[in-house]
Amino acid sequence: MSHVANVMISVEPDDRPAAEELSRWLQTSAMRRGFGSCAVGWVGSLNETTGSDTRWGGGKYPECDVYAGALNHADLAGLVAHVERIVWKHPEFVQLFVMDQEQVYFRVWMFHGAKLRQIAPEGREEEAWPNG
């Protein structure tokens, strides 16, 4: 049985190497949800979605660097903690978007000082569908 989470990260161009290293970590050393406390390994990867040959619609190319992926069995708290430990050249511009399988909108994380803080609130699903 799979457990999918959608993840995107937006970074400044100088931080592209760090975003690519995050993707390699997801492929080799990420913590795996539901496999025991010490389980690590492949949960997926992040691919660049904003390369020079990419168009999102309209007549212009994106003016941001975004990586995205659908992760399987990823420990999302571990993912957030790992992103927080990465040495970013411009942490103030890092935006991490995480939407777990049972969620219907992305939770947005940004740095406030040295710590990642969730800036999109929890529980909007319960407000819209209080009875599940």
Side-chain angles (χ1 to χ4, degrees), residues 48-105:
E48 181 188 11
T49 66
T50 51
S52 61
D53 60 344
T54 302
R55 289 187 187 227
W56 284 354
K60 300 292 181 182
Y61 293 102
E63 292 185 350
C64 56
D65 292 316
V66 177
Y67 293 78
L71 307 182
N72 193 22
H73 294 294
D75 176 331
L76 299 179
L79 168 66
V80 171
H82 185 78
V83 169
E84 191 174 73
R85 287 190 300 270
I86 292 173
V87 178
W88 300 98
K89 292 184 179 186
H90 300 286
E92 63 276 14
F93 302 126
V94 171
Q95 299 170 73
L96 177 64
F97 303 84
V98 179
M99 182 171 52
D100 204 357
Q101 180 168 303
E102 303 300 323
Q103 298 171 335
V104 294
Y105 68 94

Side-chain angles (χ1 to χ4, degrees), residues 80 84 96 98 103 105-112 115-125:
V80 171
E84 191 174 73
L96 177 64
V98 179
Q103 298 171 335
Y105 68 94
F106 283 95
R107 277 47 177 186
V108 182
W109 297 80
M110 293 183 73
F111 278 94
H112 183 74
K115 296 284 187 188
L116 273 176
R117 300 283 185 236
Q118 184 176 330
I119 60 171
E122 287 285 345
R124 301 302 287 262
E125 292 95 351

Side-chain angles (χ1 to χ4, degrees), residues 4-11 15-28 30 42-50 65-72 74 76 79-80 82-83 86 88 94-99 106:
V4 178
N6 298 296
V7 173
M8 297 186 299
I9 191 163
S10 176
V11 299
D15 279 317
R16 291 172 61 94
E20 291 165 2
E21 178 56 36
L22 171 61
S23 183
R24 285 188 291 278
W25 177 81
L26 290 167
Q27 294 173 54
T28 60
W42 184 91
V43 297
S45 63
L46 302 177
N47 291 331
E48 181 188 11
T49 66
T50 51
D65 292 316
V66 177
Y67 293 78
L71 307 182
N72 193 22
L76 299 179
L79 168 66
V80 171
H82 185 78
V83 169
I86 292 173
W88 300 98
V94 171
Q95 299 170 73
L96 177 64
F97 303 84
V98 179
M99 182 171 52
F106 283 95

